[in-house]
Amino acid sequence: MEQRVSSRRKGDGVPKENSPFINNTDNDKGNNYDGTNMALFEEEIEINPMVSSLLNKLANYTNLTQGAQEHEEADNDEGPKKKEVKSPQMGTFMGVYLPCLQNILGVILFLRLTWIVGTAGILESLAIVLLCCSCTMLTAISMSAIATNGVVPAGGSYYMISRSLGPEFGGAVGLCFYLGTTFAGSMYILGTIEILLTYIVPKAAIFVAEKKEDEVNALLNNMRVYGTCCLALMSVVVFVGVKYVNKLALVFLACVVLSILAIYAGVIKTIFEPPDFPVCMLGNRTLQNNNFDSCLKTKVIDNLTVTTKLWRLFCDGPELNATCNEYFVLNNVTEMQGIPGLTSKVISENMWSEYGPLGKLVDDKKLESVGVRASAQDKYLPYVVNDITTFFTLLVGIYFPSVTGIMAGSNRSGDLRDAQKSIPIGTILAIATTSFIYVTCVILFGASIEGVLLRDKFGDAVKGNLVIGTLSWPSPWVIVIGSFFSCCGAGLQSLTGAPRLLQAIARDGIVPFLQVFGHGKANGEPTWALLLTAGICEIGILIASLDAVAPILSMFFLMCYLFVNLACALQTLLRTPNWRPRFKYYHWALSFLGMSLCLALMFICSWYYAIVAMAIATCIYKYIEYRGAEKEWGDGIRGLSLNAARYALIRLEEAPPHTKNWRPQVLVLLNVDSDQGVKHPRLLSLTTQLKAGKGLTIVGNVLEGTYLTKDTEARKAEQNIKSAMSEERTKGFCHVVVSSNLRDGVSHLIQSAGLGGMKHNTILMAWPGTWRQANDPQSWKNFIETVRESTAAHHALLVAKNVDSFPTNLERLGEGTIDVWWVVHDGGMLMLLPFLLRQHKVWRKCKMRIFTVAQMDDNSIQMKKDLQMFLYHLRLNAEVEVVEMHDNDISAFTYEKTLVMEQRSQMLRQMQLSRTEREREIQSITDESRNSIRRKNPGAASSTTRSRSTSAAEDTQEDEAQLIHDRNTASHAAINDKAEAGPDRVHMTWTKDKLFAERNRNRECNANVAVRDLFNMKPEWESLNQSNVRRMHTAVKLNEIVVNKSQGAQLVLLNMPGPPRNRGGDENYMEFLEVLLEGLNRVLLVRGGGREVITIYS
């Protein structure tokens, strides 16, 4: 026993038996178990963890902190120096509810909600609030389902969308969410500066308007200058100390809560004691109460009637007889309380909307006014006027940012104790709370404040006070200071969160040009992302108008919410096995309703902003699709694609495609070398040019062996083929088959490649150029079997000869032709292929020529007319030429070619026979030769017989070689004699048996002379197979015509003759094709699949 234990410890590859559990603290890959209890599973334990180890890992799992790598991508970063991560302790209230409250309640509530209520009226304002809050509530339900479907690491909304909809949608929506967060920072900074310059220190303005018409431009310029300074200061704060921003978050939240409480307290106080904020009215027009102290035209001092500052604003002097504005003269000045309180009946007056164009005077319809038509110059007098044109959809776009911020809880998912429980409860409660606040504020504002004061956006009628501040208790400064710090805090939070979101997208690697923004300081702070964020934020500040920036960020947030709803709906409808959210109160119909609501709100807010936002998202999507890194996140879009593919395949299975829909679905038979490198990549180029990315392409390869021993080579070959397909831009699938022999493997590919209705109908392969070589004896047999099997399967066949000379996808062929030799009707393949090729830019400039062959009895002129009419109906542009083949006399050259072919075929058969069969075959050939020679030349025959008999008696092995040599020598002697008599020469590649024949030439001199005489007399012609002679005659004559007409063509398409029914003549078939293609560079042999592929009908 001790020896066995010691031998194990010395390194027999089995770990020592010390514990039934896997030690997680050591290297995970070295965990093995060598116990007797689980000996049956010891092979599995070597590669898979035991359950105890797995549960131990899950028990020790902790969410990652913000900005850290996600759990699925941090597997390789574990090491002995790994820092301990503190367990997150934030609960629902502090981690989700309060952050969502802080982000939802903000600048719009304090600066614009009263103006929205006054302009839209209570009813339409409630509609706006309910519409926007319904959108966010439905989105929160969908987000809760996604967030509770498994552990959500740090990354928040971007993580959820990208892992649910894939990298393309995730990147596009993630960047839109980033842009929305960045522009939100601009909006908060503009709100901060507006509060500062309008309500806190108006005298700090750098640009001061001398005339009222210049006030708007002066305000915008002040916003730009102060906003840029504020942005720079906030960026420095974020860069230097983010931890201080997070610590101050509670302070900023306290400001928001105190401000809201002050509003409710002020409303309650109006019941008993309304605040004193008088509004000065001239007739029914509201006056700006900035430059006068009393709402009077004149006043009596020491029994003297003197004019007031208000008089001077409308008259050309302080005198009582000064020339004054006509409306000022005809109407009286009155004072009314801006906040009459809840007990007044002002709610009925504020129920309806008061929209108007830019420059419209803010007036009160219930007050009397002497009718003087308003002039264009009135807006330059000290009246309260509309600074923008108002309408319902504009108010929706301005209001919607006040309901954003629902992602604040999910963005902190890495800091939550139980994210799956906290995110749904906290987010939905926060939305319910804020919705209640908004609805009640709309009603209370409309019931407490006069309409003219509500429509006064900047509080000019109440001496420049914040309108909502005039309602608060105990002082307007509570709202002013609270809203100021609230906007500051929200701006800092945006500048803190947006760079981290961009950093997360950059570190995912799905958008290549954003890689640089994934880096930062040593502690992980996103420095470069912060710089980009500040730059984009500056764009919003240069716009300078809060009302113009709000719809922009509304677009980006709405698009983000739209895709959250889409992700939930897709996962629910697809019923993917991994879709098991703990939050059960969701439904795909609610998600679709939320998605539709988001889309509707986008176009309601601003249709042109919506189109721009969607265009930006589409561009990012397409960029990631073509240039981004491929990620497999198990997303819903992939599941949707699978379902769509399944549905389409089932539909395709119902019936074969109509001729009008037929296109080549290509199976490319590709060969690889010993290192699994692609042999003929130009086959892929040809496929790309033929397909142009349309239809089905399957690139198949067969490896010889068994799958258990060749699995590594098969994976390597598949990877190399995919790389070659990517280089050649061939869109399709790769299928590598391991089979005991190549012939069976190709047969399996032809039978089983594809799925359902998406099966190939065309086979593309290269011509076996090495079929004559002794080291490749099976190539021609495999080739012919492939031809037969494609015919049996009713597939079209394309064979490319000299495929390595075909153009690449980067080449552009200039002037040239694609010549089609239409000998046999093949269903229209020969017509369709050049048309498809010419759609590609490589062949676009080539012209199409069609040649057909006329026999003796054919009317070539009529054939040409009919062919031209046929092409006209096919809508094909091509030159037509009819070639006549009237010479039916078989030339001596054809006989000699046939003779050489048959002799070579016999040699190939002899090389494959056993020794006994070989001797028997040699003897029969010898007897046949003797009889033929004896009939023509008895003397030579007897000499040959004696010589062969003597040689056979001496050495049987030498007889065999000599006889083969005699046949070859006789054949070549005849060819040489013919060459001397005429200009034509025929070259034949000699076999290795020629060496033995040359060695014995002198010893068999008499026999050689006799055979040469025999060939001079052409005695073997009588014994030739006449069918082979006729086939060779066709190949020779057709080759002469094709070479004569198309030798300079860029590509020649030619009908491919079928193989013989009798398998004994297979080697002759290869010779026929070789003769047919001799002298041509680029040739594509075409064999139809037995169906029509082109039609003249529409």
Side-chain angles (χ1 to χ4, degrees), residues 63-71 142-144 146-148 150-165 170 173-174 177-178 181 406-416 419 423 427 497 500-502 504-505 508 560-561 564 567:
N63 283 325
L64 300 175
T65 57
Q66 294 285 346
Q69 276 185 304
E70 294 170 4
H71 69 290
S142 299
M143 184 189 70
S144 300
I146 299 174
T148 58
V151 178
V152 180
S157 57
Y158 163 70
Y159 179 91
M160 290 188 295
I161 295 172
S162 61
R163 270 55 177 181
S164 297
L165 293 179
V173 179
F177 190 54
Y178 163 74
T181 307
I406 62 174
M407 300 290 187
S410 63
N411 290 339
R412 294 169 178 261
S413 56
D415 300 327
L416 299 175
I423 290 177
T427 304
R500 279 157 180 74
L501 178 59
L502 181 63
I505 299 172
D508 263 346
C560 178
Y561 298 163
V564 169

Side-chain angles (χ1 to χ4, degrees), residues 253-306:
L253 178 61
C255 294
V256 175
V257 174
L258 288 176
S259 300
I260 294 174
L261 292 178
I263 294 171
Y264 282 110
V267 170
I268 294 173
K269 183 176 178 295
T270 61
I271 300 175
F272 311 104
E273 185 183 350
D276 184 22
F277 282 99
V279 177
C280 187
M281 307 292 293
L282 177 61
N284 64 355
R285 300 178 182 179
T286 310
L287 296 176
Q288 290 183 341
N289 194 359
N290 294 327
N291 299 317
F292 57 91
D293 50 1
S294 59
C295 186
L296 296 170
K297 293 183 180 180
T298 60
K299 61 183 177 180
V300 178
I301 301 177
D302 298 333
N303 295 324
L304 293 176
T305 303
V306 296

Side-chain angles (χ1 to χ4, degrees), residues 43 80 116 134 155 172 219 301 340-341 369 426 432 478 487 506 553 695 728 739 769 780 929 942 994:
E43 287 83 2
I116 291 174
S134 300
L219 176 62
I301 301 177
S369 173
V478 176
C487 292
L553 66 98
E728 301 295 339
S739 180
W780 62 275
S929 299
S942 60
K994 179 181 177 182

